[in-house]
Amino acid sequence: MSDLTATPIRWEHSGDGEFPYHAEVDGRTLTVRVNDFPAEPLYTLIVDGSELVDLDDWPTVWRRPPAPAHLLDLIARPITTDLLWTWSRRICGVTTEHPAEVAALLGLPAPTQDDFGRLFVQPSPPGTARLELSFDRAGLSAVVIHFTEPALTRAELDACFGPSQDLPRIHWDSAHVTAHRITAPEAPLTCVLLAYFSTQPAPPTRATKITLRRDHH
């Protein structure tokens, strides 16, 4: 086990969201499985069909492959109000806690983990600095979208999701935040869209960040 996690391995994409990486080392078939994080370790290394070791971090000497073209196509869409509407309603009905399956429900490739344990979609969609999938012990907690430049206006969000609510500011230099609550017919949960603005948001003011928060009540 220590030999494999300390060995520079060049992984290849499999195209499978749950088992995204595979490699051949000394005649052995290696597979990486993505688990139900954070309730379980993020990865499991499988050798010739047998589970060898759970991993909380990606070994530093392992090399991930570049994203294949069919996965790049999944994240080629810019973030629009229509896309946020689709994502928010799907979040209301999420019944799986598996990161790769949650990403697939949103039309995204399986996320990758950074050095701090955060899960990001790579590369980030057009116009965004990063897109994070946040999980807690209850499963998916939020989809967090950081824009490279202020993007959607408050007026555009209100036109799609209805009038927004101004939330109290925690500190004098805190962002200005508006909220929309989204529901879906017969869905077990709700979703709150939080839009962050650097100034008091008038209708034409553009958001710097948007969070789709999954609510259990």
Side-chain angles (χ1 to χ4, degrees), residues 41-88:
L42 182 56
Y43 304 113
T44 295
L45 174 61
I46 300 172
V47 179
D48 292 333
S50 299
E51 296 182 7
L52 183 63
V53 62
D54 293 326
L55 302 169
D56 290 316
D57 297 295
W58 184 266
T60 56
V61 296
W62 286 3
R63 295 187 60 183
R64 284 193 181 93
H70 74 279
L71 292 182
L72 292 176
D73 290 341
L74 293 176
I75 52 178
R77 297 171 296 172
I79 304 298
T80 64
T81 54
D82 287 343
L83 183 59
L84 293 175
W85 174 258
T86 299
W87 283 358
S88 60

Side-chain angles (χ1 to χ4, degrees), residues 152-154 157 175-178 195-199 201 205-208:
L152 300 171
T153 67
R154 181 174 189 172
L157 294 169
H176 297 262
V177 184
T178 63
Y196 295 76
F197 303 86
S198 57
T199 61
T205 307
R206 297 182 180 274
T208 59

Side-chain angles (χ1 to χ4, degrees), residues 20-44:
Y21 305 112
H22 65 87
E24 296 286 335
V25 175
D26 296 333
R28 293 175 292 180
T29 300
L30 278 57
T31 305
V32 171
R33 184 181 69 211
V34 180
N35 299 314
D36 293 329
F37 180 83
E40 300 175 353
L42 182 56
Y43 304 113
T44 295

Side-chain angles (χ1 to χ4, degrees), residues 111-183:
T112 58
Q113 186 185 37
D114 69 3
D115 294 338
F116 300 98
R118 298 173 299 186
L119 297 174
F120 291 93
V121 171
Q122 296 292 342
S124 189
T128 66
R130 59 188 185 276
L131 190 155
E132 180 179 0
L133 299 182
S134 179
F135 286 77
D136 57 26
R137 293 197 174 277
L140 176 70
S141 59
V143 176
V144 185
I145 305 160
H146 295 264
F147 294 102
T148 52
E149 295 182 357
L152 300 171
T153 67
R154 181 174 189 172
E156 290 172 326
L157 294 169
D158 286 354
C160 181
F161 296 98
S164 53
Q165 174 188 0
D166 289 285
L167 299 185
R169 298 177 73 201
I170 299 174
H171 195 260
W172 68 269
D173 62 350
S174 298
H176 297 262
V177 184
T178 63
H180 300 266
R181 181 170 294 278
I182 299 102
T183 60

Side-chain angles (χ1 to χ4, degrees), residues 88 91-94 136 138-143 167 179-183 187-194 211-217:
S88 60
I91 287 171
C92 292
V94 165
D136 57 26
L140 176 70
S141 59
V143 176
L167 299 185
H180 300 266
R181 181 170 294 278
I182 299 102
T183 60
L189 306 173
T190 60
C191 177
V192 175
L193 185 153
L194 302 171
T211 294
L212 299 176
R213 189 184 71 202
R214 182 188 185 201
D215 277 9
H216 291 266
H217 45 170

